[in-house]
Amino acid sequence: MVDFRLGDELEELRASVRQFAREQVAPVIADHYENKTFPYDVVRQMGKMGLFGLPFPEESGGMGGDYFALCIALEELARVDSSVAVTLEAAVSLGAMPIYRYGTPAQRERWLPALLSGEALAGFGLTEPGSGSDAAGITTRAVLDEATGEWVINGNKAFITNSGTDITSLVTVMAATGTNPDGSRELSTIIVPSGTPGFTVAPQYSKVGWCASDTHELFFDDVRVPAENLLGVRGRGFAQFLRILDEGRIAIAALSVGLAQGCVDESVSYAKQRVAFGRPIGDNQAVQFLIADMELRAHLARLGYYDAAARMLAGEDFKRYAAIAKLNASNAAMENSRYATQVHGGYGFMNESAVGRFYRDAKILEVGEGTSEVQRMLIARGLGL
């Protein structure tokens, strides 16, 4: 029998994160969003709750949960705010997960305790100004100096989340480290600790959305790090990252569902309270149908990421299903934010309103961690086309 209901432990997690989001995030996030400040206090509280360690085993300092538990937490956070949700998502899937999956025992011992407790954050430097969807076209280079036993890194990265906070401890950098026998570039990943000479973090971007999250351009000018900072196998950096990215798409789908459901929450509440022509606007069938369609999109998108996560945890090939989940959920978030703004009218166009923030935050979900066009390519390839 197929059962999409959550067990007691996951329901308890959902309830606790929902309460935290409503009581601790909602009252403060508008000011952080408007002032473009990073919510350190919120992140600290999430660390105490164990959210950064959710999908990691206890022996590594985690909470002993799985990736689906992380997705449940992301959905609940995003129902209130996406900046906080993406901070957690990137910290886990792009920051700590590569260290956990591909790091040496020494690398794990050094970096994971602080990352899994939320005391530190990490970024993943893949995207460049001229290399987004064409991730294999990166130009950042790392040369191994045999005399000193150090990697020398030159290049720059763009749009890197969690890369410039006061608690950022490292950035993992994808770089070309040589040439393969077939003439293609050898791509590897290298850990660069924050504060390394030559590693410069540019000022915070001025963004349309996710205004309370941390995003920077990074520059590497003859940055030297020890040879043992190589993460995983030399020349396997891109293959390693593709696995991380597939998992991350499920997490972004969960975040997108949270935003889509948050639009439903806000619209139902507003439709009951807002009176026009002598009655609540929720009494009007036109408004009811708008909100019904919003709930439909959120519900179906949720089932999509549940399915992709279940396949991943079962050890099945989940790439196509992660792409389906991410594509559908990001579409749902975008459409629901538009509908919610319509329901709220002028109030929905104000930055101080939750749906105003939802509207600004939704678009990046169709771009980040693989554009909608890339997801369609992956789905088509999964069908043998």
Side-chain angles (χ1 to χ4, degrees):
M1 175 180 176
V2 176
D3 190 349
F4 292 99
R5 294 171 296 182
L6 302 181
D8 291 342
E9 288 189 7
L10 286 177
E11 281 292 0
E12 184 177 344
L13 172 66
R14 181 193 290 280
S16 65
V17 177
R18 181 177 299 179
Q19 181 179 5
F20 169 76
R22 290 176 175 175
E23 296 181 0
Q24 304 300 324
V25 179
V28 302
I29 199 60
D31 286 340
H32 283 296
Y33 199 97
E34 189 68 20
N35 295 317
K36 299 177 175 59
T37 53
F38 189 75
Y40 287 102
D41 287 343
V42 171
V43 170
R44 191 174 301 112
Q45 293 177 71
M46 289 196 298
K48 291 179 179 179
M49 292 175 66
L51 299 188
F52 291 93
L54 269 177
F56 301 97
E58 294 180 5
E59 55 266 29
S60 296
M63 298 299 292
D66 57 27
Y67 210 83
F68 186 52
L70 171 67
C71 290
I72 295 299
L74 290 173
E75 180 185 341
E76 291 304 321
L77 288 171
R79 286 178 75 161
V80 171
D81 177 69
S82 291
S83 292
V84 170
V86 78
T87 296
L88 175 62
E89 188 276 332
V92 175
S93 68
L94 299 179
M97 193 61 75
I99 305 292
Y100 171 72
R101 288 204 183 280
Y102 305 113
T104 64
Q107 289 170 342
R108 293 175 185 169
E109 183 178 356
R110 177 180 178 183
W111 300 111
L112 282 184
L115 294 177
L116 302 194
S117 67
E119 296 174 5
L121 299 175
F124 197 104
L126 174 71
T127 303
E128 297 181 0
S131 173
S133 297
D134 180 18
I138 63 172
T139 59
T140 297
R141 296 187 60 81
V143 177
L144 186 59
D145 185 338
E146 300 287 354
T148 63
E150 296 174 315
W151 289 105
V152 183
I153 306 171
N154 285 279
N156 70 303
K157 300 293 180 179
F159 315 128
I160 309 305
T161 304
N162 292 341
S163 59
T165 72
D166 293 343
I167 58 174
T168 298
S169 61
L170 68 98
V171 173
T172 302
V173 179
M174 181 81 72
T177 52
T179 303
N180 292 314
D182 64 0
S184 63
R185 288 179 308 155
E186 174 189 87
L187 298 176
S188 306
T189 48
I190 301 170
I191 297 171
V192 178
S194 298
T196 301
F199 173 26
T200 303
V201 179
Q204 168 82 308
Y205 286 107
S206 176
K207 297 175 291 186
V208 171
W210 286 358
C211 294
S213 71
D214 179 80
T215 320
H216 298 268
E217 187 170 8
L218 310 177
F219 296 90
F220 304 89
D221 184 11
D222 286 338
V223 172
R224 288 179 171 268
V225 297
E228 55 264 28
N229 279 27
L230 178 72
L231 181 62
V233 178
R234 178 171 178 170
R236 294 288 297 167
F238 190 59
Q240 292 168 183
F241 182 74
L242 288 179
R243 164 75 188 202
I244 295 295
L245 196 61
D246 287 337
E247 295 177 355
R249 285 174 178 138
I250 302 176
I252 290 295
L255 191 158
S256 300
V257 170
L259 190 154
Q261 192 65 56
C263 289
V264 177
D265 299 340
E266 295 293 331
S267 296
V268 169
S269 176
Y270 186 77
K272 291 178 177 178
Q273 298 174 12
R274 175 72 165 96
V275 174
F277 302 105
R279 61 178 183 173
I281 63 171
D283 288 352
N284 299 314
Q285 194 175 66
V287 174
Q288 293 173 2
F289 282 9
L290 282 175
I291 297 175
D293 284 344
M294 292 162 60
E295 175 70 2
L296 170 68
R297 280 189 287 267
H299 178 70
L300 294 179
R302 181 178 297 109
L303 296 180
Y305 93 72
Y306 276 23
D307 176 65
R311 293 174 185 274
M312 181 188 76
L313 294 176
E316 300 176 8
D317 184 359
F318 65 94
K319 180 186 290 286
R320 171 161 49 112
Y321 300 95
I324 291 171
K326 199 267 186 184
L327 175 62
N328 187 45
S330 60
N331 286 343
M334 193 69 207
E335 282 293 280
N336 277 17
S337 68
R338 186 168 66 86
Y339 275 42
T341 303
Q342 194 71 16
V343 170
H344 282 71
Y347 291 105
F349 199 61
M350 300 296 105
N351 282 330
E352 65 193 45
S353 72
V355 297
R357 296 194 301 274
F358 290 160
Y359 189 76
R360 293 171 63 181
D361 289 340
K363 182 57 191 175
I364 190 60
L365 298 171
E366 296 183 314
V367 176
E369 296 210 29
T371 64
S372 295
E373 291 73 23
V374 167
Q375 306 314 312
R376 290 183 172 94
M377 288 168 51
L378 293 172
I379 294 167
R381 289 174 185 172
L383 295 172
L385 299 176

